[in-house]
Amino acid sequence: MRTRRIRSPITEGVVRASGTCASGFGFPSAPDPSEPVVIQIGNLRLDPGRRLFWRDEEEIHLTPKEFDLLALMMKNSGSILSHAKLLRSVWGLEYGGELEYLHTYVYTLRKKIEKIPAKPEYILNEPWVGYRFRNPEDSESLSFQTGSLPLSTRPFL
């Protein structure tokens, strides 16, 4: 027995209108025309529309959560994103204090994108606040972690 799929403008409109809700159920939301087609930072390239990621021209497989987390960080490159902002944006509004999730995913992302995961160049810790994604080729985006600044310019801790 064949089943017919009935397409109605009402159901299609609901799916389109609730893009963020629908995307949580595996439906792609409509692409945002203000978003860049491909984000390139250093030797990393991310295509949000096709959900693809490359490091040095090599395609790297990311899980859906890894991709969402990395996309959020790359789109906000240079800005500090709090733990709560990252958790709520990627996992949902009911999350905010589950730091173990975030730490685990950042750890696996660093293993996939960093040359030396123990000495990250892209995903930096901002102690007690969150994380910051930076371009290692950008001389103005120095980390304020004590090991990266000359003694004369280190903040008092």
Side-chain angles (χ1 to χ4, degrees):
M1 176 180 212
R2 288 179 60 182
T3 58
R4 286 179 52 183
R5 185 172 175 190
I6 299 172
R7 295 180 68 160
S8 101
I10 294 171
T11 57
E12 288 180 20
V14 169
V15 170
R16 272 196 217 108
S18 60
T20 55
C21 183
S23 65
F25 295 108
F27 299 110
S29 58
D32 183 0
S34 66
E35 250 184 54
V37 176
V38 174
I39 302 169
Q40 174 127 20
I41 298 175
N43 66 342
L44 306 180
R45 199 166 34 127
L46 183 100
D47 184 342
R50 295 178 15 205
R51 297 188 66 85
L52 297 173
F53 173 73
W54 298 268
R55 181 189 65 212
D56 292 325
E57 304 303 319
E58 175 190 359
E59 188 175 332
I60 305 291
H61 170 74
L62 298 176
T63 68
K65 290 289 187 210
E66 288 171 344
F67 187 90
D68 293 342
L69 180 60
L70 184 60
L72 179 63
M73 294 175 100
M74 287 181 77
K75 288 175 187 173
N76 293 284
S77 180
S79 300
I80 297 172
L81 297 172
S82 71
H83 296 121
K85 165 81 174 160
L86 291 166
L87 283 162
R88 289 186 179 125
S89 297
V90 175
W91 279 269
L93 295 176
E94 63 275 4
Y95 293 84
E98 294 80 359
L99 296 180
E100 334 52 76
Y101 294 171
L102 187 56
H103 295 313
T104 301
Y105 275 86
V106 167
Y107 174 78
T108 59
L109 271 177
R110 282 179 173 157
K111 285 178 23 180
K112 292 181 177 186
I113 71 171
E114 302 281 1
K115 290 178 185 170
I116 305 170
K119 294 183 179 182
E121 296 180 319
Y122 289 101
I123 302 175
L124 303 178
N125 289 345
E126 294 297 338
W128 304 105
V129 179
Y131 292 97
R132 182 166 48 96
F133 193 92
R134 81 170 182 111
N135 183 352
E137 297 170 358
D138 185 4
S139 62
E140 293 180 13
S141 66
L142 288 173
S143 171
F144 285 97
Q145 296 170 349
T146 56
S148 61
L149 294 173
L151 285 173
S152 61
T153 58
R154 284 188 190 166
F156 293 102
L157 300 177

